[in-house]
Amino acid sequence: MAELLLLFLQIARKVSCWQTQEDDMLACLKTADPVKLTIAGKINLLDIFGKDPVMDLLDLAPVIDGDFIPDDPSKLFHNAAQFDYLAGVNSMDGHLFAGIDVPSINSMKETTTV
């Protein structure tokens, strides 16, 4: 949880949201320029999460609402065959992991070797 707070604060500071009260900061972030906010979100995850396995970061993604996602996804895989689901890919699938494992792919000035 402390890692998420640090990430939240780093993003907020990059778009000039210096409020100390959470509600005030959220209000500021909601009015921030979307492009600047997107760029501010580009933070080196290794600085925040250290060298832990990148797959652990996936625990931050789902919102367990009890309806659409009834439980932690890792607990739902055992009965996945019982449900219809849509799976797909996009042009940036896996980039988060590749960017951590091969940092040069995020730099125009570095060469990425095989």
Side-chain angles (χ1 to χ4, degrees):
M1 190 59 145
E3 293 90 3
L4 284 177
L5 181 58
L6 177 60
L7 177 61
F8 175 74
L9 290 173
Q10 286 181 342
I11 292 170
R13 300 299 184 245
K14 286 185 173 187
V15 294
S16 300
C17 291
W18 297 96
Q19 294 79 359
T20 56
Q21 296 297 316
E22 185 176 320
D23 290 341
D24 295 337
M25 188 178 292
L26 287 172
C28 179
L29 288 168
K30 287 179 182 180
T31 62
D33 179 308
V35 173
K36 289 180 181 177
L37 194 55
T38 301
I39 293 169
K42 294 183 179 184
I43 293 175
N44 185 350
L45 294 177
L46 290 177
D47 290 344
I48 297 167
F49 295 104
K51 301 288 183 184
D52 293 333
V54 177
M55 291 300 287
D56 289 346
L57 299 177
L58 292 178
D59 289 340
L60 303 175
V63 174
I64 301 165
D65 61 3
D67 184 29
F68 185 73
I69 302 179
D71 200 352
D72 188 278
S74 64
K75 296 178 184 172
L76 299 173
F77 288 127
H78 70 280
N79 64 351
Q82 298 174 15
F83 303 99
D84 292 334
Y85 62 93
L86 178 66
V89 296
N90 64 52
S91 64
M92 294 299 284
D93 270 2
H95 186 81
L96 171 69
F97 307 112
I100 290 175
D101 295 333
V102 186
S104 62
I105 67 169
N106 290 319
S107 175
M108 300 281 290
K109 297 179 182 178
E110 292 185 44
T111 301
T112 303
T113 62
V114 176

